[in-house]
Amino acid sequence: AMETITLANVFHKPGTLKKVGTYTEIPDQKVVIDIYDASFEKVLYTQKTTFTHAGYHTVELSTPMELDDYAWHRL
């Protein structure tokens, strides 16, 4: 059975979010990136991707977002 790994980061800085960084531990790992408001109550954006190799990855968002307080969450 595959294990699900969840990561989250919260930021309190206004600006344009264009990319997020994350890592994978196995090849062909499917990742869902959710951008939430800082209270984790509302999903503002979701993007899915698959990484063919394990390691650190930078994910460019399909739609850059203007944000103040926000959190990003990875499944």
Side-chain angles (χ1 to χ4, degrees):
M2 230 185 218
E3 183 178 334
T4 299
I5 298 171
T6 301
L7 302 170
N9 290 303
V10 178
F11 299 93
H12 301 289
K13 183 176 180 185
T16 303
L17 180 64
K18 297 179 182 179
K19 300 177 183 180
V20 297
T22 191
Y23 65 90
T24 58
E25 296 182 358
I26 60 173
D28 299 318
Q29 187 167 353
K30 294 178 182 179
V31 172
V32 178
I33 296 168
D34 291 321
I35 309 298
Y36 285 81
D37 63 359
S39 65
F40 281 94
E41 292 179 8
K42 182 179 177 185
V43 176
L44 306 173
Y45 179 88
T46 297
Q47 185 168 318
K48 297 178 182 180
T49 191
T50 301
F51 298 108
T52 56
H53 303 292
Y56 186 80
H57 310 278
T58 302
V59 180
E60 189 167 343
L61 301 184
S62 298
T63 305
M65 304 182 67
E66 291 295 326
L67 300 166
D68 289 319
D69 288 338
Y70 65 96
W72 76 266
H73 179 255
R74 185 208 99 176
L75 291 175

